[in-house]
Amino acid sequence: MTPPKYRRTQGDVTEQAFDVFTVHTCAKRISTVRVGAGVNRSGRYG
C-alpha cells in the first residue's frame, strides 16, 4: 500500500518533518509520532 502524499509548504509548520520512535519491548511494539506533515504509525515486531 502506497502512503498518501503530503504537501510540505515552505515557511509553514509543514516545511519540515521528523519522526520520534518509541520501542515498547514488553509489548513488542514500535510507535512513531510524526512531527510535521504525515501520520503517526505503529506496528509489532518479533
Side-chain angles (χ1 to χ4, degrees):
M1 183 172 159
T2 304
K5 303 273 184 193
Y6 290 93
R7 183 169 290 261
R8 295 171 63 186
T9 306
Q10 186 174 2
D12 193 337
V13 68
T14 62
E15 179 179 12
Q16 298 180 11
F18 64 92
D19 291 317
V20 177
F21 288 82
T22 305
V23 180
H24 305 277
T25 55
C26 292
K28 295 190 175 182
R29 178 174 289 287
I30 298 175
S31 301
T32 64
V33 176
R34 171 58 64 110
V35 178
V39 295
N40 300 338
R41 298 179 185 177
S42 65
R44 298 183 68 85
Y45 67 91

